[in-house]
Amino acid sequence: MFTKSLQVTSLYTRVPLTVAILLFSIPSQALLPTPLDTANLNVVTSTPIDTISTNSTQALADNTQNVQNAGAEQLLANWRVQAKSKNLAQHTTWRRLLYFIDDKKGLFNKGKTKSLVEDSDFFLSTSGYQDSAAELDATLAALANEIMQPASAQANNSNSVQCRFPARVQWLSEHLAIDQSDLQTNCPELDEWMSMLNPEQLSIMFGEEYLDNPISAFAHTLLRIDSPASVADPSQIHYAYAFNDTVDGNPDDPFVVYAIKSMIGSYDNIIEIDPYPEKLAKYLKEDERDTWTYQLDLTPSEVRQMMLHVWETKDLYIPYYFATDNCASEILRLIDVVRPEQYLLGQLPYVVIPSDVINLLADEQLLAGTVYTPSDATVRQAQLNKAEEASELGYATLTEEEAYNIKSADINLASSISKDMQRLEPPLITPSDNNPLDRHPLQRGHVGIGQSGDNSYIELGLRAGYHSTLDRPAGFRQFFDLEGVSATWRLYNTDDDNDNNQPLSVELQNFTLVRGRSFNPVNSAEKGDTWGASIEATRVNDGSQEEGGAHLVGSTAFEYGKSWAFGEPKANSGEMPPQLCYTFATGAAQAGRGINNGFRVGAGVNAGCLYQINNQLRAQAELQLPYWYHGSSSEDDIKSHYWQPITTLGLQYDIDKKQALRINASYEWQDRVDANEDIKLSYMRYF
């Protein structure tokens, strides 16, 4: 620091000396008295005085510029020596500032040789997107030139490296001991933005899963940016802002197109900085999703550095991948910039799920506090629970109209956010059992033994995610049911090779791409519908043929109906009663080579109940009444249409958060099916 200051000071002290030399270089006859001679007078007056002045000024300016250039070169040379000795070009933080994600496990990342950013405006060097050393040198050169400029030239230069890349400059100033007083460039736009945010503390907000909006089916995370005022009183949310990284999709695209483009990176991401009350209201009021907010254990200087980096990156066009580069991964990336030793992104699997991010931050001891904020639906449900309890105890009456008025979102405007959108109301209820820190891991494997008809088998299964109604419910939205990318195989003990209906020794029993149900009981404060959908390949019994065997088919189905919650809800909470019954009208289409005519379509009714016996044990029973049609057939022994009722029963006992035992049983009420009954016992392992 001291050596560099001497170098800069000595360079500026040369300027007066240069001026003196220039003055003395003017011909002596122009300065000393001479005899008044007409001829000489004519010679002297042939060069105008203003020309002499202009030439002298230009020479002074040229020499001053040369001094500045020499100073910049000397400063740059000094920095280059330090940068090389510290290997700053390959430093983890420097590369992360340039979007080189060296430690990320992703299916779609470009690897270690290129930045994820292709925008040339993000780099000072033409090769900066693939060469962190070239970008470092270009940044140092630009910064040295800016420092050596006079203060007047540095004013309001929004295109300067200090204004465009303040996080890079801040990091370099720390590692190269650059005096902050030398960074004199004014950045009015940056200063105004930082003054607006006034960042002192960051928290990560988790909005629970919401199946009624499939884009939010896996939950969402954003950052709450707190100013000193909202740190002093967290309920004063109008002093806070929200940082939200989301998909910049085309709202006019059909949902299927929108979903596919979001998955494969055909849309860019977009960074939104909004007043926190506006963003929070979308979750609590519009979607009616509970939120959990966790303070991040970061210093104010780390918070400021993260926000400076957001300034550098907020307008970039970067592909958005729903499963790998999303709202949750971006938060980890920002933390990794200021905590390079923790490698948060590298600790997650290929798919980045918001709840996994919350649990990872907890494991890394980066969470310093927790706040639960109930949604409007939860607040209304708490009121309904109290009214029903008072009615049951005889303290008050509750008419059907009064119950409806409490449940209705249009009539009952109770909310966790004040009417003026300025503050959070103090929660007066027990938090719901949906804290993502309490949930089981989302991946699951199982091994089971079973009997199908006369054939015994061993079953192996693997599920990438997410949660079914029989899984341990703690940490999830009540009655949440969504599974994706799962497969099961069966290994049969085959004895009779001549039996055509005997299964193969190894069979794919099921592959589910996605299967889910959204339960919004009509007697609760939830305002959505009850529906379900599935896309899968599954093994079915063909009831159209005599002794119909099992065949693997592609299947898609949709369900729509009603559900009811019953039982005793948790005291002083906004949870619904723990038991659930439902009924669906269903439609399905299946296709496969083995079944009659290669296809069948069906319609019918599914009805069932889910019963929470205790905290560790739950059961689910269901009756399916599908009516199938295969198309016309000329053969007498083949039915073109028929009923095929199926009853199923599931029972799960939780050993702990990561282990469980499950019993599944089913019976097909169809006399033309070879193997009517199926029963198995499985050990479930969550990881």
Side-chain angles (χ1 to χ4, degrees):
M1 171 80 74
F2 180 74
T3 303
K4 197 281 300 182
S5 299
L6 283 178
Q7 292 171 345
V8 175
T9 304
S10 64
L11 289 169
Y12 278 114
T13 56
R14 297 173 190 169
V15 175
L17 179 61
T18 303
V19 174
I21 294 172
L22 287 172
L23 290 175
F24 280 107
S25 67
I26 298 176
S28 59
Q29 61 267 33
L31 299 175
L32 300 175
T34 57
L36 185 59
D37 183 274
T38 305
N40 288 339
L41 181 62
N42 290 337
V43 172
V44 172
T45 57
S46 65
T47 302
I49 287 294
D50 61 342
T51 301
I52 297 175
S53 176
T54 300
N55 291 339
S56 301
T57 303
Q58 183 61 47
L60 176 61
D62 290 343
N63 200 284
T64 301
Q65 183 63 51
N66 291 336
V67 171
Q68 292 172 4
N69 292 341
E73 287 294 335
Q74 188 171 351
L75 195 56
L76 178 59
N78 181 36
W79 287 346
R80 281 172 171 164
V81 171
Q82 294 184 60
K84 184 176 181 180
S85 66
K86 298 178 180 180
N87 198 23
L88 295 187
Q90 303 305 321
H91 194 286
T92 301
T93 298
W94 176 250
R95 290 178 62 80
R96 287 177 181 170
L97 286 168
L98 302 179
Y99 258 99
F100 288 88
I101 314 298
D102 296 343
D103 44 64
K104 183 178 179 184
K105 303 173 188 174
L107 294 176
F108 304 104
N109 73 314
K110 299 176 183 177
K112 299 183 179 182
T113 59
K114 290 185 180 180
S115 167
L116 294 182
V117 179
E118 296 181 350
D119 190 342
S120 60
D121 290 339
F122 189 62
F123 302 99
L124 297 174
S125 168
T126 55
S127 59
Y129 75 100
Q130 60 184 357
D131 188 345
S132 58
E135 186 64 19
L136 176 65
D137 198 68
T139 303
L140 293 177
L143 186 59
N145 284 329
E146 288 178 13
I147 287 179
M148 296 309 300
Q149 290 178 355
S152 59
Q154 297 186 41
N156 301 334
N157 183 8
S158 60
N159 198 42
S160 70
V161 66
Q162 298 176 55
C163 297
R164 290 173 59 191
F165 306 114
R168 298 187 202 177
V169 171
Q170 176 62 32
W171 184 79
L172 289 171
S173 69
E174 294 172 359
H175 284 75
L176 298 176
I178 301 174
D179 194 333
Q180 291 294 318
S181 63
D182 290 335
L183 305 176
Q184 303 176 37
T185 299
N186 294 324
C187 306
E189 293 180 7
L190 171 61
D191 293 342
E192 181 182 358
W193 189 76
M194 290 294 288
S195 177
M196 175 190 74
L197 298 180
N198 197 11
E200 181 171 307
Q201 178 179 287
L202 293 178
S203 300
I204 183 169
M205 191 209 79
F206 174 87
E208 68 178 350
E209 292 84 357
Y210 182 56
L211 270 181
D212 289 347
N213 180 1
I215 296 298
S216 299
F218 299 102
H220 188 70
T221 53
L222 56 81
L223 283 178
R224 167 173 164 160
I225 307 169
D226 278 305
S227 65
S230 59
V231 169
D233 185 356
S235 68
Q236 301 299 311
I237 54 176
H238 63 293
Y239 291 120
Y241 281 84
F243 165 91
N244 183 41
D245 183 273
T246 187
V247 58
D248 189 18
N250 184 354
D252 296 330
D253 283 343
F255 171 73
V256 174
V257 174
Y258 192 99
I260 293 174
K261 286 186 174 181
S262 298
M263 291 292 294
I264 65 175
S266 292
Y267 291 133
D268 289 321
N269 80 325
I270 182 172
I271 291 177
E272 302 170 335
I273 306 289
D274 298 307
Y276 188 69
E278 296 178 10
K279 188 59 67 174
L280 183 62
K282 180 184 186 307
Y283 293 91
L284 302 183
K285 293 178 169 295
E286 184 178 331
D287 294 347
E288 297 198 326
R289 302 154 67 177
D290 290 355
T291 67
W292 289 85
T293 306
Y294 309 89
Q295 179 188 335
L296 293 173
D297 189 14
L298 300 170
T299 66
S301 62
E302 289 174 330
V303 170
R304 177 178 173 79
Q305 178 70 347
M306 285 174 63
M307 289 301 101
L308 290 176
H309 184 51
V310 169
W311 169 265
E312 298 175 344
T313 60
K314 63 184 177 65
D315 297 322
L316 294 175
Y317 295 101
I318 302 173
Y320 183 95
Y321 295 99
F322 181 75
T324 57
D325 294 290
N326 52 33
C327 62
S329 66
E330 180 63 13
I331 291 174
L332 292 186
R333 193 193 68 80
L334 288 172
I335 298 174
D336 277 345
V337 167
V338 297
R339 296 286 181 92
E341 70 282 357
Q342 293 193 271
Y343 297 97
L344 296 177
L345 269 179
Q347 296 185 45
L348 286 179
Y350 291 117
V351 176
V352 181
I353 301 295
S355 61
D356 284 346
V357 168
I358 300 297
N359 280 275
L360 173 62
L361 293 173
D363 292 341
E364 293 293 315
Q365 300 182 339
L366 281 167
L367 302 184
T370 304
V371 175
Y372 167 73
T373 308
S375 68
D376 288 10
T378 302
V379 174
R380 296 195 306 270
Q381 185 66 45
Q383 295 176 351
L384 181 62
N385 291 345
K386 289 182 179 180
E388 290 179 340
E389 181 183 14
S391 177
E392 291 173 2
L393 295 174
Y395 298 147
T397 59
L398 181 65
T399 66
E400 198 171 302
E401 181 180 1
E402 289 171 337
Y404 173 79
N405 290 340
I406 294 175
K407 293 186 298 182
S408 172
D410 296 325
I411 298 173
N412 185 358
L413 303 181
S415 177
S416 296
I417 302 180
S418 63
K419 292 181 180 179
D420 60 6
M421 300 285 286
Q422 297 287 298
R423 68 186 185 280
L424 283 177
E425 302 290 1
L428 302 176
I429 61 176
T430 302
S432 297
D433 189 20
N434 57 3
N435 188 337
L437 292 177
D438 297 329
R439 63 178 47 178
H440 62 74
L442 300 182
Q443 288 74 45
R444 188 191 72 195
H446 76 265
V447 57
I449 56 174
Q451 185 82 18
S452 178
D454 297 328
N455 302 300
S456 59
Y457 61 83
I458 296 175
E459 183 174 277
L460 302 175
L462 186 65
R463 183 186 72 183
Y466 200 76
H467 176 81
S468 73
T469 47
L470 278 179
D471 290 328
R472 181 177 178 271
F476 291 89
R477 185 184 181 99
Q478 204 168 359
F479 308 131
F480 185 72
D481 187 11
L482 175 65
E483 294 184 291
V485 193
S486 65
T488 58
W489 296 267
R490 286 185 176 180
L491 289 73
Y492 283 94
N493 180 15
T494 57
D495 296 324
D496 188 357
D497 294 335
N498 297 320
D499 187 351
N500 292 330
N501 288 325
Q502 182 98 3
L504 300 175
S505 58
V506 179
E507 285 186 344
L508 174 65
Q509 184 69 15
N510 178 275
F511 175 81
T512 297
L513 182 61
V514 63
R515 184 200 61 77
R517 284 173 168 174
S518 177
F519 294 107
N520 294 290
V522 295
N523 61 335
S524 73
E526 299 291 335
K527 64 181 181 181
D529 296 321
T530 293
W531 59 273
S534 65
I535 302 174
E536 59 186 342
T538 190
R539 199 163 290 277
V540 301
N541 286 317
D542 185 352
S544 68
Q545 306 176 48
E546 289 287 348
E547 297 184 354
H551 305 282
L552 188 66
V553 300
S555 176
T556 182
F558 182 78
E559 306 171 303
Y560 186 84
K562 293 185 180 299
S563 57
W564 299 264
F566 63 96
E568 193 70 26
K570 184 192 295 184
N572 194 39
S573 78
E575 291 185 2
M576 294 177 282
Q579 324 305 347
L580 179 75
C581 284
Y582 54 88
T583 181
F584 291 104
T586 67
Q590 297 178 344
R593 290 188 302 173
I595 60 176
N596 180 27
N597 283 342
F599 79 97
R600 65 178 184 174
V601 293
V605 176
N606 291 348
C609 288
L610 174 68
Y611 196 86
Q612 185 77 26
I613 301 170
N614 56 44
N615 289 337
Q616 291 179 278
L617 185 64
R618 69 206 64 85
Q620 183 173 9
E622 183 169 303
L623 172 63
Q624 302 172 14
L625 292 171
Y627 191 81
W628 294 105
Y629 175 71
H630 287 261
S632 60
S633 175
S634 59
E635 300 182 36
D636 294 337
D637 61 340
I638 294 181
K639 291 185 176 182
S640 60
H641 50 87
Y642 54 91
W643 288 98
Q644 192 169 350
I646 304 173
T647 54
T648 61
L649 174 66
L651 185 71
Q652 176 159 318
Y653 173 77
D654 302 324
I655 300 172
D656 55 33
K657 194 174 181 179
K658 295 184 177 182
Q659 300 179 92
L661 295 175
R662 180 180 293 189
I663 295 175
N664 292 97
S666 66
Y667 188 85
E668 298 195 31
W669 301 86
Q670 168 62 258
D671 57 6
R672 297 166 69 88
V673 171
D674 179 59
N676 298 80
E677 71 280 352
D678 190 293
I679 185 169
K680 67 180 175 183
L681 171 66
S682 302
Y683 167 75
M684 324 292 289
R685 177 72 182 187
Y686 300 86
F687 61 93

